[in-house]
Amino acid sequence: MPTELEELVEFLHSPQHAVKQIALDNLVQFSPANANPKLFAYDNYRPIKDLKEIAQRRPETTTTIMVGHAVTILANLCDDTEMRRLITEDDAFIQFVASSIIDLTNQNADLFCILLANMAKLDYITRVFEMDILAISKDDAFTSAKIMDCLMDCFVKGADRSLNVYANYDYLAYFFADISRFKHGRDYFVTEQEYDNVVPISKLLVFTEKYDSKVRREGVASTIKNSLFDTEKHMKLLTDEAINLLPYILLPIAGSEELDEEEMFNLPEELQLLPADKKREPLSDIIAVHLESLLLLCVTREVRELLREKSVYPLIRELHKVTKDELVAELCDRLVQMLMRDEAPTAEEVDAMNSDESDDDEDRIVEVA
């Protein structure tokens, strides 16, 4: 005999619209991880299939509220490993979720952003790079048919609800952060795209100081960090004027502390002569992510020397003085060790020194003679 709640879950499979609506209204509360998500594993996980079917119903056969409830439940159920797999490992559903975000009339677009972000915990989500948007979602606002390009445009152009009055697309920042953990994702963010001839990461940098959206700042900071795991791109990201990565990592960790004149004028131009009321990133967790990005940049000697030239050490020194967060303090210590240590001589310098020693020996031989 099924329990009352199991009977309620069975109603998701009902052919009657009103019955499904009642079931959804009552089941949302059981989907969070701290409630009773295992309820949706009933009957060999059939409720997952039912919820996906409801989410994909055409507007004339359902309501915005019903779709919103179904998407909310699916997003919550992604906390469970097996349910996340059942939700995500479905090419048609990935394409539908992404295209629903790109549909500029969709009132549930932000909920679909949360669902997509939660699905991105699995590397299966990288299939999105090979997908085009559904024809019903094509809009003049987009110049590329590729889903990933359109999602980037939604995030960058739609932050002020100018694309969709119902959505600000903030949670795409978490989607970008998760998908950039995978090589295909990292490659996308640091590679110039054909449709606009821009390196995607450069379009995200401005949001490192969007202080009215913790979600954007946190997601973008993590996307930057994940994109730095491939060291061969570091110098391009730092020296290409069209990208100019370093200031956008340093600005959030810089405060109003005064540096001496030499230190200040060695900083990137964007950090010189900051106003006296300059505020540092208020969340220590986000500061820590930026410090981890700097540590990743310190992997190569070439970049370490560039960071020294750009007065990164004085900023870290001042941050270390004022932070009360243990992790931030630890990361500052590690950065100081990387930036202030003596470098081993290069192969060219060793050869030059050996050559000098040989010349000295020849001189001494002459003197003895």
Side-chain angles (χ1 to χ4, degrees):
M1 282 285 295
T3 65
E4 290 184 3
L5 286 177
E6 288 170 344
E7 288 181 348
L8 187 61
V9 166
E10 285 185 328
F11 289 162
L12 293 173
H13 201 63
S14 171
Q16 298 182 41
H17 178 93
V19 173
K20 286 183 178 180
Q21 178 73 67
I22 293 171
L24 288 165
D25 290 345
N26 288 278
L27 286 171
V28 171
Q29 62 185 309
F30 297 106
S31 60
N34 61 355
N36 188 15
K38 289 298 182 183
L39 172 64
F40 297 89
Y42 179 69
D43 193 14
N44 197 28
Y45 295 96
R46 193 179 75 177
I48 302 295
K49 182 178 179 180
D50 293 337
L51 288 163
K52 291 168 73 173
E53 188 273 333
I54 294 170
Q56 295 178 84
R57 296 284 292 275
R58 296 186 64 81
E60 60 269 22
T61 63
T62 187
T63 67
T64 299
I65 293 175
M66 282 184 67
V67 172
H69 284 341
V71 173
T72 298
I73 294 172
L74 289 168
N76 289 337
L77 295 181
C78 283
D79 278 340
D80 180 274
T81 303
E82 178 60 16
M83 294 189 197
R84 185 193 307 138
R85 186 188 67 77
L86 292 170
I87 293 167
T88 305
E89 293 184 359
D90 179 341
D91 287 10
F93 191 64
I94 292 174
Q95 187 180 35
F96 168 77
V97 171
S99 294
S100 296
I101 295 168
I102 298 162
D103 178 356
L104 303 184
T105 65
N106 193 325
Q107 296 182 38
N108 287 312
D110 277 345
L111 285 175
F112 277 105
C113 288
I114 296 172
L115 173 56
L116 187 66
N118 290 350
M119 292 165 65
K121 304 296 182 186
L122 290 181
D123 61 0
Y124 194 94
I125 198 66
T126 57
R127 288 174 178 255
V128 76
F129 289 106
E130 312 304 325
M131 296 178 180
D132 291 344
I133 58 176
L134 296 173
I136 58 171
S137 298
K138 189 72 176 70
D139 191 276
D140 291 340
F142 307 107
T143 57
S144 170
K146 291 186 175 299
I147 280 179
M148 195 65 191
D149 296 337
C150 295
L151 292 174
M152 280 291 299
D153 285 346
C154 284
F155 183 76
V156 174
K157 300 176 183 178
D160 58 356
R161 299 182 184 273
S162 59
L163 289 183
N164 182 342
V165 296
Y166 304 106
N168 59 26
Y169 304 104
D170 281 0
Y171 278 87
L172 283 178
Y174 287 158
F175 167 67
F176 297 152
D178 276 323
I179 205 166
S180 62
R181 293 180 301 118
F182 310 116
K183 180 168 174 51
H184 201 155
R186 291 196 298 274
D187 288 346
Y188 174 83
F189 285 107
V190 299
T191 303
E192 184 177 301
Q193 299 302 305
E194 291 183 6
Y195 84 105
D196 63 358
N197 299 315
V198 176
V199 176
I201 196 73
S202 67
K203 295 189 281 190
L204 303 182
L205 299 179
V206 66
F207 298 112
T208 59
E209 287 198 292
K210 187 170 175 53
Y211 290 117
D212 61 345
S213 176
K214 177 251 188 186
V215 172
R216 279 192 177 244
R217 297 196 321 277
E218 186 172 44
V220 167
S222 294
T223 304
I224 293 170
K225 183 187 80 170
N226 292 339
S227 298
L228 294 175
F229 276 92
D230 297 324
T231 59
E232 67 272 10
K233 297 284 189 178
H234 285 182
M235 285 304 291
K236 175 179 174 59
L237 295 174
L238 293 169
T239 59
D240 187 331
E241 292 183 0
I243 304 173
N244 194 26
L245 173 64
L246 187 58
Y248 296 96
I249 296 177
L250 296 180
L251 279 166
I253 68 177
S256 58
E257 297 84 9
E258 292 187 8
L259 304 179
D260 68 40
E261 188 171 301
E262 181 180 357
E263 291 174 338
M264 181 177 65
F265 285 108
N266 284 334
L267 287 166
E269 290 184 9
E270 295 84 350
L271 283 93
Q272 296 175 15
L273 304 173
L274 292 175
D277 61 349
K278 166 69 171 69
K279 300 297 183 184
R280 183 176 279 113
E281 164 61 54
L283 298 178
S284 295
D285 288 347
I286 297 180
I287 290 179
V289 175
H290 288 307
L291 294 175
E292 289 167 349
S293 292
L294 290 172
L295 281 169
L296 287 170
L297 288 170
C298 284
V299 167
T300 64
R301 177 172 181 162
E302 186 179 23
V303 175
R304 289 196 298 273
E305 291 177 346
L306 176 64
L307 297 182
R308 292 177 186 124
E309 293 172 7
K310 294 297 183 180
S311 276
V312 171
Y313 164 69
L315 289 181
I316 303 304
R317 178 192 67 209
E318 297 304 315
L319 172 61
H320 190 270
K321 288 178 182 178
V322 299
T323 187
K324 296 180 181 178
D325 185 88
E326 289 185 7
L327 177 58
V328 169
E330 178 190 341
L331 292 169
C332 286
D333 287 336
R334 290 170 57 189
L335 269 168
V336 169
Q337 292 171 21
M338 295 290 285
L339 293 173
M340 300 306 291
R341 73 185 187 187
D342 293 332
E343 297 284 0
T346 63
E348 292 80 4
E349 290 170 338
V350 170
D351 289 342
M353 287 187 291
N354 289 338
S355 176
D356 290 343
E357 289 175 3
S358 297
D359 291 343
D360 289 343
D361 288 343
E362 290 177 7
D363 290 341
R364 284 196 293 273
I365 291 171
V366 171
E367 291 171 3
V368 169

